[in-house]
Amino acid sequence: MSLRPILLVEDNPDDEKLTLRALAKNNIQNEVVVARDGVQALDYLFGGGHAPPAIVLLDLKLPKVDGIEVLRQMRTSGPTKLTPVVILTSSKEDQDLIAGYELGANSYIRKPVDFLQFTEAVRQLGLYWLILNEPPPR
Amino acid sequence: MTEGLFQTLVNTSGAIVCAKDANGRYVFANSQFIKDFNVTGKPICGATDFDLFPRDIAERLRQHDEMALDGPGTSAQEEVIRVGEDERSYLFNRVPLPKDCSDARLGVIAFEITQRIKAEDDLLVSRSFFEGILKIAADAIISIDEAQRIILFNQGAERIFGYTAEEAIGQPLDMLLPMGARPTHRHQIAQFGRTEVSARQMGERGGIAGRRKDGTVFPAEASISRMRLRGRTTFTAILRDVSEARRAEDAIKSLNADLKHRATQLENANRELEAFSYSVSHDLRAPLRSIDGFSQMLMEDFSADLPDEAQDSLHRIRAASQRMAQLIDDILALSRVTRASIERREVDLSAMVASAAEDLHQEDPQRKVVFSIPEGIRADADPHLMQVVLNNLLGNSWKYTSKHDTARIEFGRFVDARGRTAYFVRDDGAGFDMAYANKLFGAFQRLHAMHEYSGSGIGLATVQRIVHKHGGEIWAEGAVEQGATFYFTLK
C-alpha cells in the first residue's frame, strides 16, 4: 500500500528546508507536498482530485489565506474533516492556540529555535501520527 | 347749639377732649379722657396733671401746655402717656382759648396713635430689612416698570454691571443687554407680562447674556418675577454673573475630552503593543531558527571538512541564537505580565513553592539542595502571576547556588517593622554586592557575567512588575558569597 503524502503548508523557504530535513532525518518516507500559502493549500486539498493527505503540517501566518482559515475550511468539508492537522508555528499566543484547538487541530507545536529540538519534535509527531495512530478509514 | 348737644358730640367723637385754666387745672374732661387715662373715681375738675399722671409725664405735659399757651394758634404734639404698665402714644392738639366767660384757657383734643406708630416702626424695620438684603445680595436685583425703565438697581447690580444706581435708575433696561438681544428681550418681557405665570427662569434654552458699562458681554443666569401693585406692574430680575462658573465648566469639559482622548490613545497603544508582541513572537523567531538550523546542518554535513575552530564558531552561533530566542520569550512574558489583569483569590504560596522546587529537582536531580517550606502560607493574589513570581525567585536561588556542593533554599513569611506581612525566598548561594541592589530589578540588568550564570536579566523585572501590580513592594538583601534574600509584600 502506498503511503499517503504529507502536506506541508509553509511560506518560509528556510523553515520548509529545515522541516524537510527533519522529516528525512527521521526516515519518514511519505512524499511531502509543499504549499507555500493558504490558497495553494486549499487548491491541493479541494481542487486537484488528490486523496486527503496522511497529515497536514500547517503554519498559521501565511500569505493570502491564513492557516486558521485553511483549517476552518478543512473541518467543514467531508473528505478533510478527519484529516489530522498539526499546527506548526512560531506563535504560542493564547489566541492562536485557542483558535487552533477550537477549529479541531489535532496538535499544536511551537517550532523550537534549537534545530535538534525541532528534529526531535518532528520525529515524535511523525512517530505518533504516521505510525502509531490509526488514521480514519478512507 | 345747646350744651347737651355739645356734650353728646364731645363724648361720642372718640377723641379725648379737655380744657385747663391758666394754672393747669382741668375745668373740663370728656368721658374718653376718663376712660383712656383710667382716672375714674378721682375728681378731675380742679385737679392738675400732677394729680392724675406720674410726675415725669405731668411735667412734660405742663411744659408743652405752657408753650401752647404762648403760641399763636393750634399746636400738635406727640405725647407718651403711661397708664399703669401701659405706654400709649397720643397726638395732642392744643389750642389757646379766648378769655371770655369761662376760666378755660387751653383746649386739648387728643387721639391715640399707638397703633399707627407701631405700624410705622414695623414698616421702617421691614424696609431696612429688605434694603439690607438688597445691599448684601451678591446677585444683581433689578426692577423695571411697565415701560421697561429701571426703578431699582442694587449694589450687586452695581458690581456686576459697573453702573451706579444713580446712573441706572430711570434708564431703559436695554442698556444692560447686548445690542443683539435687545429687541427680542423687550418683546419677551412684554409677553411675560401677559402670561399667568408670576416667576420663571430666564433663558431656559441656552442661557442669557448681560452687558457691562464698559461694553463687555458676560454669560448670566437670571430669574424674573412680576408683581402687580395698585394696578401697576413691575418686573424684578435676579441675575448672576456666571462667567467664572462657565469658565470652570469649560475647563472641566476640556479636561474630560482630553482624558477621553488619552484613554483612546492608551487603548490604541495597548492594541498596537499586542500586535507588536504577536509579531515579535512570530517573526523574530523564524530567522533564529534558520541561523540555528543551518549552523547545525553545516556541522552535520561538513564536519569532516570543518576545522575545530570553525566548529566552535558554529557552536557559538547556535548558542547565541538560542539565547536570543530565550530573550524574546522572556520579553514577551514581561509584556504579557504588564498587560495581564489581576484576578485575586486565596492562593497557597507554600504549595506553589513546593511545586516549583520539585520541578527544579527533576531538571537537575544530581544537586543536593535542601528546601525549607513551611506549610499553609496563603495570600490573596493572582494564582498564575504568583506562580511566575515564585518560579522566578526559586529559579534564581537554584541557579545562584549551583556552584556550591550543597545548598539551602528557604521560603517564609514575617511581619516587618511597619506591620506589613512580607514573604521571602532566601538562599546561601553566590549572593550579590548590596552596592548594586538597585540594579537587580531593572530589565536586562545583570550582576553576573554570562559565563558564570546564564540568564536574560528579565526575570526579576517581571517579578517586580507582578508585585507592583499587586500593590506590593519588593526588595533584596545579600552579600557576595553569603547568599541572597528576596522579600516582597502584597496589598
Side-chain angles (χ1 to χ4, degrees), chain A residues 59-61 87-101 108-112, chain B residues 277-283 285 289 325-326 328-334 336 339 384:
Chain A
D59 194 8
L60 288 184
K61 232 183 143 189
I87 292 175
L88 202 57
T89 181
S90 291
S91 159
K92 62 166 185 180
E93 290 287 310
D94 288 351
Q95 74 226 42
D96 286 341
L97 273 161
I98 291 165
Y101 279 121
Y108 191 110
I109 293 172
R110 189 199 188 205
K111 297 176 209 167
Chain B
S277 302
Y278 182 86
S279 169
V280 164
S281 101
H282 198 276
D283 297 345
R285 290 173 61 87
R289 269 200 310 280
Q326 186 60 49
I328 291 170
D329 283 354
D330 289 352
I331 294 171
L332 284 177
L334 180 63
R336 215 169 280 138
R339 283 178 283 143
H384 170 71

Side-chain angles (χ1 to χ4, degrees), chain A residues 56-69:
Chain A
V56 177
L57 304 180
L58 182 65
D59 194 8
L60 288 184
K61 232 183 143 189
L62 295 167
K64 296 176 186 172
V65 173
D66 71 15
I68 292 291
E69 177 59 20

Side-chain angles (χ1 to χ4, degrees), chain B residues 206-207 219 221 242-262:
Chain B
E221 277 172 12
V242 293
S243 308
E244 273 308 313
R246 209 49 69 75
R247 255 196 291 281
E249 210 174 283
D250 287 351
I252 288 170
K253 267 185 201 156
S254 125
L255 276 178
N256 266 339
D258 199 33
L259 210 59
K260 237 181 221 169
H261 178 64
R262 277 182 207 199

Side-chain angles (χ1 to χ4, degrees), chain B residues 57-185:
Chain B
I57 291 172
E59 275 173 357
R60 208 166 52 238
L61 288 174
R62 180 75 203 146
Q63 194 192 340
H64 292 154
D65 284 354
E66 278 168 2
M67 281 163 64
L69 281 170
D70 293 342
T74 308
S75 68
Q77 180 75 43
E78 195 182 316
E79 302 285 0
V80 174
I81 308 289
R82 202 160 59 244
V83 179
E85 295 291 297
D86 210 11
E87 271 193 358
R88 299 179 197 154
S89 300
Y90 289 88
L91 184 68
F92 273 51
N93 293 297
R94 292 180 173 89
V95 56
L97 299 173
K99 291 178 189 156
D100 52 11
C101 52
S102 152
D103 292 337
R105 285 292 169 269
L106 184 73
V108 178
I109 300 173
F111 302 93
E112 188 181 349
I113 55 169
T114 311
Q115 289 302 324
R116 199 169 89 203
I117 285 182
K118 189 179 176 307
E120 276 170 8
D121 276 359
D122 286 354
L123 194 65
L124 203 65
V125 167
S126 137
R127 177 176 285 178
S128 36
F129 177 70
F130 285 107
E131 275 172 0
I133 288 179
L134 285 178
K135 197 167 171 179
I136 59 169
D139 292 347
I141 301 174
I142 299 164
S143 297
I144 55 170
D145 60 15
E146 279 170 313
Q148 304 203 8
R149 288 188 181 277
I150 298 167
I151 54 172
L152 177 93
F153 200 76
N154 77 334
Q155 295 190 352
E158 291 182 329
R159 270 193 303 276
I160 290 173
F161 285 96
Y163 291 102
T164 64
E166 259 181 357
E167 290 171 315
I169 285 171
Q171 298 299 313
L173 178 69
D174 278 358
M175 77 175 192
L176 304 178
L177 301 170
M179 307 280 184
R182 289 175 184 180
T184 33
H185 196 268

